[in-house]
Amino acid sequence: MFKKLFGIFRIQKEERTAATVALLVFIILNALNVARYFSALSGVDNNTWAKFIKGWHISGFDPITYSVITKWSIGYNIYRHPLLPYFVWPFSKLNESITALTGTNFAIIITACILVFCDFYAYIFLNRIFREIIGVRAGEGHVLSALTFSFAYIMLSTLVPDHFCPSMFCLVLTLYLCGLKLQRGRALNWWQTVLMFFFTAGISLNNGLKVFLAALVTRGRRFFRPGYLVVAVLLPSALIWGSARWSYKEFVWPKEVQRKERKERAQERQLERIKRHVLDTIKSKDSASVAIVMDSVKARIERKRELRKTMSAAYKHTGKPMAKGEFMRWTDITTSRTDVAIESLFGEGIMLHEDYLLGDVLVNRPVIVHYRNWGNYIVEAFLVGLFLVGVWCGRRSRFLWTAMSFFLMDMALHIGLGFGINEVFIMSAHYLFVLPVAMAFALKAMPEVWRRRLTVTLAVVTAYLWIWNTTLLVEYLYFI
């Protein structure tokens, strides 16, 4: 069982040249980030979350992994990333040993090594999807693979210390395994479903649902068999959720209580100082008079606090939620879906904007940023149009609809409900790889002459995107 599972990681002879080139590209991309930030983040003194936030910044990505590897903690939002802290734990222990020997924090380099592994195998499995599952020619597969990683926020995900590239690796691997199963007329069995769900949902809980979607497509009605449903779906889901609840109770809740107590004590000290000042100012010990003045002061403090909140970028750039509640408060019904689709979903996700370059929506970037020239919109329209043509050409393919179920789930979540819609491009690695998958079906359906022309056009667009996005990335890292 395990020999078969790990056998798919062996690089095939015909893949070696392209794999070597891809590996070098991913190493160079990560080297850009390491070279820029290593000196600022490699110290061993005061390596706190605040230091990483202050010392590292690319768009809205978070340097949580640097913090967790430096000094292990839950770090991530445990309900969104229920097992990710535990996946990172061995690397944290490795970094502790290296730091003790060298006096240098190697968290940024260890993270880069993890990312290069995920980058590399995401590329390998995606390339196999094009060649082995969809059946395009080797050259076409290389163009489509290069196109995928030329997309701005997939490219960024290959080098930033966030969870998106590991998530993409798991999703592409799941898609590849499903493709093999569909080719052979088989279905994901219970242990394959559990294993893929364990890693995919452990890294990002909502992506775990995509594993179940893939299993549903490959198994059909057999998905609902009681034995499979209990062992492969309900039990793993309960264990993941139970693990998140336990982690929150044991690690997160005590710290939240401590923070709340510290905040309350600070507020009490502030009010005590204000009270002493009021007593000195009004020269009266009458409790009623003091209470009136204190209420007035408290009201002014609350108004200032509320004003600071409403003036913050996070408040201004967050739309009105559909309802109040633990999860529904993250929804958004007011942000324009059309503008987001053009400028963020298929815009910033594919091509970086020159204005507010890699800015953070929660700090200094508007939700909607426009390109300076129409050339960018033409490229975007071409890619989206070809994607839609590919969906039509592959509309009878169960494999394409497996991939599309991944895409449509994210669209329902981000565009439908509005979760994270103000910076939807951040999540590009979760769904943009589906675009070239659909394009491969368009290539297969074309007459030979048009197929060659379309491949050349895609190669030109791919080169353009690599030049455009890497140039702006280097500009941001080293010249701004």
Side-chain angles (χ1 to χ4, degrees), residues 266-329:
Q267 290 175 343
E268 287 172 1
R269 288 194 295 269
Q270 181 189 29
L271 290 174
E272 187 61 33
R273 288 194 301 270
I274 293 171
K275 186 175 181 179
R276 287 198 300 269
H277 179 71
V278 168
L279 288 170
D280 292 340
T281 302
I282 66 174
K283 304 297 182 181
S284 172
K285 293 186 179 180
D286 179 59
S287 58
S289 301
V290 172
I292 291 171
V293 176
M294 285 296 295
D295 288 342
S296 176
V297 171
K298 288 178 184 177
R300 286 202 300 271
I301 292 173
E302 188 58 36
R303 283 197 298 271
K304 287 181 180 179
R305 187 180 293 120
E306 190 64 26
L307 181 62
R308 284 195 300 270
K309 177 183 175 182
T310 57
M311 292 298 292
S312 68
Y315 183 89
K316 289 180 178 179
H317 297 162
T318 301
K320 182 180 178 182
M322 295 180 178
K324 294 180 180 179
E326 186 176 358
F327 295 103
M328 293 304 291
R329 64 192 176 94

Coordinates of all heavy atoms in Angstrom, one line a residue, residues 266-329:
A266 N -5.2 46.8 32.5 CA -4.7 48.0 31.9 C -5.8 49.1 31.9 O -5.6 50.3 32.2 CB -4.2 47.8 30.5
Q267 N -7.0 48.7 31.5 CA -8.2 49.6 31.5 C -8.5 50.1 32.9 O -8.8 51.3 33.1 CB -9.4 49.0 30.9 CG -9.3 48.7 29.4 CD -10.5 48.0 28.9 OE1 -11.2 47.4 29.6 NE2 -10.6 48.0 27.5
E268 N -8.4 49.2 33.9 CA -8.6 49.6 35.3 C -7.6 50.6 35.8 O -7.9 51.6 36.5 CB -8.6 48.4 36.2 CG -9.9 47.5 36.1 CD -9.7 46.2 36.8 OE1 -8.7 46.0 37.5 OE2 -10.7 45.4 36.8
R269 N -6.3 50.4 35.4 CA -5.2 51.3 35.8 C -5.4 52.7 35.1 O -5.2 53.7 35.7 CB -3.9 50.8 35.4 CG -3.4 49.6 36.3 CD -2.0 49.3 36.1 NE -1.7 48.8 34.8 CZ -1.7 47.6 34.4 NH1 -1.9 46.6 35.3 NH2 -1.4 47.2 33.2
Q270 N -5.9 52.6 33.8 CA -6.1 53.9 33.1 C -7.3 54.7 33.8 O -7.1 55.9 34.0 CB -6.5 53.6 31.7 CG -6.8 54.9 30.8 CD -7.3 54.5 29.5 OE1 -8.0 53.5 29.3 NE2 -7.0 55.4 28.5
L271 N -8.3 54.0 34.2 CA -9.5 54.7 34.8 C -9.1 55.2 36.2 O -9.5 56.3 36.6 CB -10.7 53.7 34.9 CG -11.4 53.3 33.6 CD1 -12.4 52.3 33.9 CD2 -12.0 54.6 33.0
E272 N -8.2 54.5 36.9 CA -7.7 54.9 38.2 C -6.9 56.2 38.1 O -7.1 57.1 38.9 CB -6.9 53.8 38.9 CG -6.6 54.1 40.3 CD -7.7 54.3 41.2 OE1 -8.8 53.6 41.0 OE2 -7.7 55.1 42.1
R273 N -6.1 56.2 37.0 CA -5.3 57.5 36.8 C -6.2 58.6 36.4 O -6.0 59.8 36.9 CB -4.3 57.2 35.7 CG -3.1 56.3 36.0 CD -2.0 56.4 35.0 NE -2.4 56.0 33.7 CZ -2.4 54.8 33.2 NH1 -1.9 53.8 34.0 NH2 -2.8 54.5 32.0
I274 N -7.2 58.3 35.6 CA -8.2 59.4 35.2 C -8.9 59.9 36.5 O -9.2 61.1 36.6 CB -9.1 58.9 34.1 CG1 -8.4 58.6 32.8 CG2 -10.3 59.8 33.9 CD1 -9.2 57.9 31.8
K275 N -9.3 58.9 37.3 CA -10.1 59.3 38.5 C -9.3 60.2 39.4 O -9.8 61.2 40.0 CB -10.5 58.0 39.3 CG -11.5 58.3 40.5 CD -11.9 57.0 41.1 CE -12.9 57.3 42.3 NZ -13.4 56.1 42.9
R276 N -8.0 59.9 39.6 CA -7.1 60.7 40.4 C -7.0 62.1 39.8 O -7.0 63.1 40.6 CB -5.7 60.0 40.6 CG -5.7 58.8 41.5 CD -4.3 58.5 42.0 NE -3.5 58.2 40.9 CZ -3.3 57.0 40.4 NH1 -3.9 55.9 40.9 NH2 -2.5 56.8 39.4
H277 N -6.9 62.1 38.5 CA -6.8 63.4 37.8 C -8.0 64.2 38.0 O -8.0 65.5 38.2 CB -6.5 63.2 36.3 CG -6.3 64.5 35.6 ND1 -5.3 65.3 35.7 CD2 -7.2 65.0 34.6 CE1 -5.5 66.4 34.9 NE2 -6.6 66.2 34.2
V278 N -9.2 63.6 37.9 CA -10.5 64.2 38.1 C -10.6 64.8 39.5 O -11.0 66.0 39.7 CB -11.7 63.3 37.8 CG1 -13.0 63.9 38.2 CG2 -11.7 63.0 36.3
L279 N -10.2 64.0 40.5 CA -10.3 64.5 41.9 C -9.4 65.7 42.1 O -9.8 66.6 42.8 CB -9.9 63.4 42.8 CG -10.9 62.2 43.0 CD1 -10.3 61.0 43.7 CD2 -12.1 62.7 43.7
D280 N -8.2 65.7 41.5 CA -7.3 66.8 41.6 C -7.8 68.1 40.9 O -7.6 69.2 41.3 CB -5.9 66.5 41.1 CG -5.2 65.4 41.9 OD1 -5.6 65.3 43.1 OD2 -4.3 64.8 41.4
T281 N -8.6 67.8 39.8 CA -9.0 68.9 39.0 C -10.3 69.6 39.5 O -10.3 70.8 39.6 CB -9.3 68.4 37.5 OG1 -8.2 67.8 37.0 CG2 -9.8 69.6 36.6
I282 N -11.3 68.8 39.9 CA -12.5 69.4 40.4 C -12.5 69.8 41.8 O -13.4 70.5 42.3 CB -13.7 68.5 40.1 CG1 -13.7 67.2 40.9 CG2 -13.8 68.2 38.6 CD1 -14.9 66.3 40.8
K283 N -11.5 69.4 42.6 CA -11.3 69.7 44.0 C -12.5 69.4 44.8 O -13.0 70.2 45.6 CB -11.0 71.2 44.1 CG -9.8 71.7 43.3 CD -8.5 71.1 43.8 CE -7.3 71.6 43.1 NZ -6.0 71.0 43.5
S284 N -13.1 68.2 44.5 CA -14.3 67.8 45.2 C -14.3 66.3 45.4 O -13.8 65.6 44.6 CB -15.6 68.2 44.4 OG -16.7 67.6 45.0
K285 N -14.8 65.9 46.6 CA -14.8 64.5 46.9 C -16.3 64.0 46.9 O -16.5 62.9 47.3 CB -14.2 64.3 48.3 CG -12.7 64.5 48.3 CD -12.1 64.1 49.7 CE -10.6 64.4 49.7 NZ -10.0 64.0 51.0
D286 N -17.1 64.8 46.4 CA -18.5 64.4 46.2 C -18.6 63.3 45.2 O -18.3 63.5 44.0 CB -19.4 65.6 45.8 CG -20.9 65.2 45.6 OD1 -21.5 64.7 46.6 OD2 -21.4 65.3 44.5
S287 N -19.1 62.1 45.6 CA -19.1 60.9 44.7 C -20.0 61.1 43.5 O -19.7 60.7 42.4 CB -19.6 59.7 45.5 OG -20.9 59.9 46.1
A288 N -21.1 61.9 43.7 CA -22.0 62.1 42.5 C -21.3 62.9 41.5 O -21.4 62.7 40.3 CB -23.3 62.8 43.0
S289 N -20.6 64.0 41.9 CA -19.9 64.9 41.0 C -18.8 64.1 40.3 O -18.6 64.3 39.0 CB -19.3 66.1 41.7 OG -20.3 66.8 42.3
V290 N -18.1 63.4 41.0 CA -17.0 62.6 40.4 C -17.5 61.6 39.4 O -17.0 61.4 38.3 CB -16.2 61.8 41.5 CG1 -15.1 60.9 40.9 CG2 -15.5 62.8 42.4
A291 N -18.6 60.9 39.7 CA -19.2 59.9 38.8 C -19.7 60.6 37.5 O -19.5 60.0 36.5 CB -20.4 59.3 39.5
I292 N -20.2 61.8 37.6 CA -20.7 62.5 36.4 C -19.5 62.7 35.5 O -19.5 62.5 34.3 CB -21.4 63.8 36.8 CG1 -22.8 63.4 37.4 CG2 -21.6 64.6 35.5 CD1 -23.5 64.7 38.0
V293 N -18.4 63.3 36.1 CA -17.2 63.6 35.3 C -16.6 62.3 34.7 O -16.2 62.3 33.5 CB -16.2 64.4 36.1 CG1 -14.9 64.6 35.3 CG2 -16.8 65.7 36.6
M294 N -16.5 61.3 35.5 CA -16.0 60.0 35.0 C -16.8 59.4 33.9 O -16.2 58.9 32.9 CB -15.9 59.0 36.2 CG -14.8 59.3 37.2 SD -13.2 59.1 36.5 CE -13.1 57.4 36.1
D295 N -18.1 59.5 34.0 CA -18.9 59.0 32.9 C -18.7 59.7 31.6 O -18.6 59.2 30.5 CB -20.4 59.1 33.3 CG -20.8 58.1 34.3 OD1 -20.1 57.1 34.5 OD2 -21.9 58.3 35.0
S296 N -18.5 61.1 31.8 CA -18.2 61.9 30.6 C -16.8 61.5 30.0 O -16.7 61.4 28.7 CB -18.2 63.4 31.0 OG -17.8 64.2 29.9
V297 N -15.9 61.3 30.8 CA -14.5 60.9 30.3 C -14.6 59.5 29.7 O -14.0 59.3 28.6 CB -13.5 60.9 31.5 CG1 -12.2 60.3 31.0 CG2 -13.3 62.3 32.0
K298 N -15.3 58.6 30.3 CA -15.4 57.2 29.7 C -16.1 57.3 28.3 O -15.7 56.6 27.4 CB -16.2 56.3 30.6 CG -15.5 55.9 31.9 CD -16.4 55.1 32.8 CE -15.8 54.7 34.1 NZ -16.7 53.9 34.9
A299 N -17.1 58.1 28.2 CA -17.8 58.3 26.9 C -16.9 58.8 25.9 O -16.9 58.4 24.7 CB -19.0 59.2 27.1
R300 N -16.0 59.8 26.2 CA -15.1 60.4 25.3 C -14.1 59.3 24.8 O -13.7 59.2 23.6 CB -14.4 61.6 25.9 CG -15.2 62.8 25.9 CD -14.4 64.1 26.0 NE -13.5 64.1 27.2 CZ -13.8 64.6 28.3 NH1 -15.0 65.1 28.5 NH2 -13.0 64.5 29.4
I301 N -13.6 58.5 25.8 CA -12.6 57.5 25.4 C -13.2 56.5 24.5 O -12.6 56.1 23.5 CB -12.1 56.8 26.7 CG1 -11.3 57.7 27.6 CG2 -11.3 55.5 26.4 CD1 -10.9 57.2 28.9
E302 N -14.5 56.1 24.8 CA -15.2 55.1 23.9 C -15.4 55.7 22.5 O -15.3 55.0 21.5 CB -16.5 54.7 24.6 CG -17.2 53.6 23.9 CD -16.4 52.3 23.8 OE1 -15.7 52.0 24.8 OE2 -16.5 51.6 22.8
R303 N -15.8 57.0 22.4 CA -16.0 57.6 21.1 C -14.7 57.6 20.3 O -14.7 57.4 19.1 CB -16.5 59.0 21.3 CG -18.0 59.1 21.6 CD -18.5 60.5 21.4 NE -17.9 61.5 22.2 CZ -18.3 61.9 23.4 NH1 -19.3 61.3 24.0 NH2 -17.6 62.8 24.1
K304 N -13.5 57.9 21.0 CA -12.2 57.9 20.3 C -11.9 56.5 19.8 O -11.3 56.3 18.7 CB -11.2 58.5 21.3 CG -11.2 60.0 21.5 CD -10.1 60.4 22.4 CE -10.2 61.9 22.7 NZ -9.1 62.4 23.6
R305 N -12.1 55.5 20.7 CA -11.8 54.1 20.3 C -12.7 53.7 19.1 O -12.2 53.1 18.2 CB -12.1 53.2 21.5 CG -11.7 51.8 21.3 CD -12.0 50.9 22.5 NE -11.2 51.3 23.6 CZ -11.7 51.7 24.8 NH1 -13.0 51.8 25.0 NH2 -10.8 52.0 25.8
E306 N -13.9 54.1 19.1 CA -14.8 53.8 18.0 C -14.4 54.5 16.7 O -14.5 54.0 15.6 CB -16.3 54.1 18.3 CG -17.3 53.6 17.4 CD -17.4 52.1 17.3 OE1 -17.0 51.4 18.3 OE2 -17.8 51.6 16.3
L307 N -13.9 55.8 16.9 CA -13.5 56.5 15.7 C -12.3 55.9 15.1 O -12.1 55.8 13.9 CB -13.2 58.0 16.2 CG -12.7 58.9 15.1 CD1 -13.8 59.1 14.0 CD2 -12.4 60.3 15.6
R308 N -11.3 55.5 16.0 CA -10.1 54.8 15.4 C -10.5 53.5 14.7 O -9.9 53.2 13.6 CB -9.1 54.5 16.6 CG -8.4 55.7 17.1 CD -7.2 55.2 18.0 NE -7.6 54.4 19.1 CZ -7.9 54.9 20.3 NH1 -7.8 56.3 20.5 NH2 -8.3 54.2 21.3
K309 N -11.5 52.8 15.2 CA -11.9 51.6 14.6 C -12.5 51.9 13.2 O -12.2 51.2 12.2 CB -12.9 50.9 15.4 CG -13.5 49.6 14.8 CD -14.6 49.0 15.7 CE -15.2 47.8 15.1 NZ -16.3 47.2 15.9
T310 N -13.4 52.9 13.1 CA -14.1 53.2 11.8 C -13.1 53.8 10.8 O -13.4 53.8 9.6 CB -15.2 54.1 12.1 OG1 -14.8 55.3 12.7 CG2 -16.3 53.5 12.9
M311 N -12.0 54.4 11.3 CA -11.0 55.0 10.4 C -10.0 54.0 9.9 O -9.2 54.3 9.0 CB -10.3 56.2 11.1 CG -11.2 57.4 11.4 SD -11.9 58.1 9.9 CE -10.4 58.8 9.1
S312 N -10.0 52.8 10.5 CA -9.0 51.8 10.1 C -9.3 51.2 8.7 O -10.4 51.1 8.3 CB -8.9 50.7 11.1 OG -10.1 49.9 11.1
A313 N -8.2 50.8 8.0 CA -8.4 50.2 6.7 C -9.2 48.9 6.8 O -10.0 48.6 5.9 CB -7.0 49.9 6.1
A314 N -9.0 48.1 7.9 CA -9.7 46.9 8.0 C -11.2 47.1 8.1 O -12.0 46.3 7.5 CB -9.2 46.2 9.3
Y315 N -11.6 48.2 8.8 CA -13.0 48.5 8.9 C -13.6 49.0 7.6 O -14.7 48.6 7.1 CB -13.2 49.5 10.0 CG -14.7 49.8 10.3 CD1 -15.5 49.1 11.2 CD2 -15.3 50.9 9.6 CE1 -16.8 49.4 11.4 CE2 -16.7 51.2 9.8 CZ -17.4 50.4 10.7 OH -18.7 50.7 10.9
K316 N -12.9 49.9 7.0 CA -13.3 50.6 5.7 C -13.4 49.6 4.6 O -14.3 49.7 3.7 CB -12.4 51.7 5.3 CG -12.4 52.9 6.2 CD -11.5 54.0 5.7 CE -11.5 55.2 6.5 NZ -10.6 56.3 6.1
H317 N -12.5 48.6 4.5 CA -12.5 47.7 3.4 C -13.2 46.4 3.6 O -13.1 45.4 2.9 CB -11.0 47.4 3.1 CG -10.2 48.6 2.6 ND1 -8.9 48.7 2.6 CD2 -10.7 49.8 2.2 CE1 -8.5 49.8 2.2 NE2 -9.5 50.6 2.0
T318 N -14.0 46.3 4.7 CA -14.8 45.1 5.0 C -16.3 45.5 4.8 O -16.8 46.4 5.4 CB -14.6 44.6 6.4 OG1 -13.2 44.3 6.6 CG2 -15.4 43.4 6.7
G319 N -16.9 44.7 4.0 CA -18.3 45.0 3.7 C -19.3 44.6 4.8 O -18.9 44.0 5.8
K320 N -20.5 44.8 4.6 CA -21.5 44.5 5.6 C -21.8 43.0 5.6 O -22.1 42.4 4.5 CB -22.8 45.3 5.3 CG -24.0 45.0 6.3 CD -25.2 45.8 5.9 CE -26.3 45.5 6.9 NZ -27.6 46.3 6.5
P321 N -21.8 42.3 6.7 CA -22.0 40.9 6.8 C -23.5 40.6 6.5 O -24.4 41.4 6.7 CB -21.6 40.5 8.2 CG -21.8 41.7 9.0 CD -21.5 42.9 8.1
M322 N -23.8 39.3 6.1 CA -25.1 38.9 5.9 C -25.9 38.7 7.2 O -27.1 38.9 7.3 CB -25.1 37.5 5.2 CG -24.6 37.6 3.8 SD -24.6 36.0 3.0 CE -23.9 36.4 1.3
A323 N -25.2 38.3 8.3 CA -25.8 38.2 9.6 C -24.7 38.2 10.6 O -23.5 38.1 10.3 CB -26.6 36.9 9.6
K324 N -25.1 38.3 11.9 CA -24.1 38.3 13.0 C -24.0 36.9 13.5 O -25.0 36.1 13.4 CB -24.6 39.2 14.1 CG -24.5 40.7 13.7 CD -25.0 41.6 14.9 CE -25.0 43.1 14.5 NZ -25.4 43.9 15.6
G325 N -22.9 36.5 13.9 CA -22.7 35.1 14.4 C -21.2 34.8 14.3 O -20.4 35.5 13.7
E326 N -20.9 33.6 14.8 CA -19.5 33.2 14.9 C -18.8 33.1 13.5 O -17.7 33.4 13.3 CB -19.3 31.8 15.6 CG -17.9 31.4 15.8 CD -17.8 30.1 16.6 OE1 -18.9 29.6 17.0 OE2 -16.7 29.6 16.8
F327 N -19.6 32.6 12.5 CA -19.1 32.4 11.1 C -19.7 33.4 10.2 O -19.0 34.0 9.3 CB -19.3 31.0 10.7 CG -18.5 30.0 11.4 CD1 -19.2 29.2 12.4 CD2 -17.2 29.8 11.3 CE1 -18.5 28.2 13.1 CE2 -16.4 28.9 12.0 CZ -17.1 28.1 12.9
M328 N -21.0 33.7 10.3 CA -21.6 34.6 9.3 C -21.1 36.0 9.4 O -21.3 36.8 8.4 CB -23.1 34.6 9.5 CG -23.8 33.2 9.2 SD -23.4 32.7 7.5 CE -24.4 33.9 6.5
R329 N -20.5 36.4 10.5 CA -20.0 37.8 10.6 C -18.8 38.0 9.6 O -18.4 39.1 9.3 CB -19.5 38.1 12.0 CG -18.4 37.3 12.5 CD -18.2 37.4 14.0 NE -17.1 36.6 14.6 CZ -15.9 37.0 14.7 NH1 -15.5 38.2 14.4 NH2 -15.0 36.2 15.2

